[in-house]
Amino acid sequence: MQVTTTITEIRAWVRQARAAGRTVGFVPTMGALHVGHTSLIDAAAERCDCVVVSIFVNPTQFGAGEDFARYPRPLENDLALCAEHGVDTVFAPSPAEMYPRENLTWVAVEKISEPLCGRFRPGHFRGVATVCTKLFNIVGPDLAFFGQKDAQQVAVIRRMVADLNLPLEIVVCPTVREPDGLAMSSRNQYLSPQERKEAPVIYRALQRSAELIRAGETDSAQIVGRMSEVLRQVPGLQIEYVSLVDADTLEDLPQICGRVLVAVAGRLGPTRLIDNIVVDGPAK
Ligand code: AMP
């Protein structure tokens, strides 16, 4: 497995792979890799001749007071996991390699980046869309793999790729969970043992919404109320939002219909947790 840190090196590597007629799958990450990430790597290996993983904690998607400085960076471990899963090349640039000068050019995906996490993390999706555009331009993959765990990120990237005619296909892979339902996340390691026991309440609340929708409930306010009852079982959980929105446009759905994204975000101590499920409501 090759490890590249410069744009020149990764471009040269991909150029050679393409010249040899190989398709390139790309998995962008911020490192601290877990089974959620390796599921994307495995999906990429299945669909593509070679796999490039980027490991870059992107400063422009963190707001002031967020966890950029303390975000885990266990690079040796990450490289070992990538090698185990047959990754061909890891691209692990420094912030100076990615942002050598003041960045003046930004990609902002309107509307879709405004609700849900957009309300609580101003500028986050502009940072995500900008770094993904840069990474897509640097790596030039055929396919890029993202996790459903970050549903709004998927919606933003998909729309950006469509609006800007970027020449790649976005593949979305299912959320990988711990046995108790907690969605895997690099941030789960911030949780204390007590918080770790409490964190699956978010998935239990999501499951409650699915039960209600399947039983025919179509009033979103009712469903949010019932989910909140579940979430209140953990008094320390500070809920940011409990939302039912159209899975593609992320527009509010006061009445359930079509593909519904049920999304929750909250803070448990210093840790911000997000999770979601997609449920089929009655046809539109
Ligand atoms: P991150 O390193 O957190 O930026 O995540 C990199 C990629 O891994 C993103 O596409 C995430 O959606 C995806 N990912 C993170 N956690 C999970 C998970 N539990 N299941 C599936 N994909 C995930």
Side-chain angles (χ1 to χ4, degrees):
M1 186 179 79
Q2 186 131 352
V3 181
T4 54
T5 56
T6 68
I7 293 167
T8 313
E9 279 175 295
I10 186 69
R11 280 206 166 124
W13 192 92
V14 173
R15 200 177 308 124
Q16 277 201 348
R18 287 195 171 287
R22 302 170 80 197
T23 56
V24 177
F26 177 44
V27 182
T29 81
M30 298 206 300
L33 303 183
H34 49 68
V35 181
H37 297 110
T38 58
S39 74
L40 303 184
I41 294 171
D42 295 343
E46 195 141 298
R47 301 248 336 239
C48 304
D49 299 323
C50 54
V51 178
V52 177
V53 171
S54 65
I55 298 179
F56 179 59
V57 184
N58 173 37
T60 66
Q61 69 189 69
F62 288 81
E66 290 189 349
D67 56 345
F68 174 69
R70 69 186 180 112
Y71 198 86
R73 291 166 171 83
L75 186 62
E76 287 307 310
N77 243 23
D78 287 348
L79 295 180
L81 259 183
C82 285
E84 236 172 74
H85 285 262
V87 171
D88 295 276
T89 299
V90 172
F91 176 50
S94 65
E97 181 72 7
M98 290 295 284
Y99 297 104
R101 61 194 84 80
E102 183 190 1
N103 202 64
L104 299 180
T105 308
W106 300 97
V107 181
V109 181
E110 297 172 359
K111 292 190 179 171
I112 291 177
S113 48
E114 288 160 15
L116 309 176
C117 291
R119 283 200 289 136
F120 295 88
R121 302 190 73 188
H124 169 69
F125 289 111
R126 183 184 82 151
V128 168
T130 302
V131 81
C132 284
T133 304
K134 285 165 73 70
L135 288 167
F136 293 163
N137 283 333
I138 290 164
V139 175
D142 298 283
L143 277 71
F145 294 77
F146 287 84
Q148 176 62 28
K149 155 83 172 29
D150 297 277
Q152 191 170 13
Q153 170 168 282
V154 162
V156 165
I157 298 295
R158 277 207 154 132
R159 186 57 184 253
M160 174 185 92
V161 165
D163 284 352
L164 299 181
N165 306 98
L166 301 185
L168 77 162
E169 185 189 326
I170 301 299
V171 181
V172 181
C173 301
T175 301
V176 179
R177 301 179 179 283
E178 302 284 359
D180 61 9
L182 176 64
M184 290 196 182
S185 165
S186 305
R187 290 189 168 98
N188 290 350
Q189 51 188 283
Y190 299 153
L191 297 168
S192 70
Q194 177 61 26
E195 289 163 347
R196 173 64 191 80
K197 275 191 213 145
E198 295 171 337
V201 74
I202 293 180
Y203 186 57
R204 290 203 302 275
L206 290 169
Q207 284 177 306
R208 173 60 54 85
S209 73
E211 287 159 15
L212 291 166
I213 293 170
R214 286 193 198 111
E217 180 62 75
T218 57
D219 181 349
S220 287
Q222 282 290 335
I223 297 170
V224 169
R226 300 285 298 277
M227 291 175 72
S228 302
E229 284 168 13
V230 176
L231 293 167
R232 278 198 293 272
Q233 291 166 4
V234 174
L237 178 69
Q238 282 177 271
I239 300 168
E240 285 188 353
Y241 61 78
V242 178
S243 295
L244 290 91
V245 298
D246 180 284
D248 298 313
T249 64
L250 307 191
E251 281 166 356
D252 256 335
L253 280 181
Q255 286 294 316
I256 297 302
C257 63
R259 285 180 69 242
V260 183
L261 175 73
V262 190
V264 174
R267 283 175 188 281
L268 204 44
T271 312
R272 185 169 188 276
L273 299 171
I274 60 171
D275 199 354
N276 69 84
I277 55 171
V278 175
V279 187
D280 282 319
K284 276 187 192 172

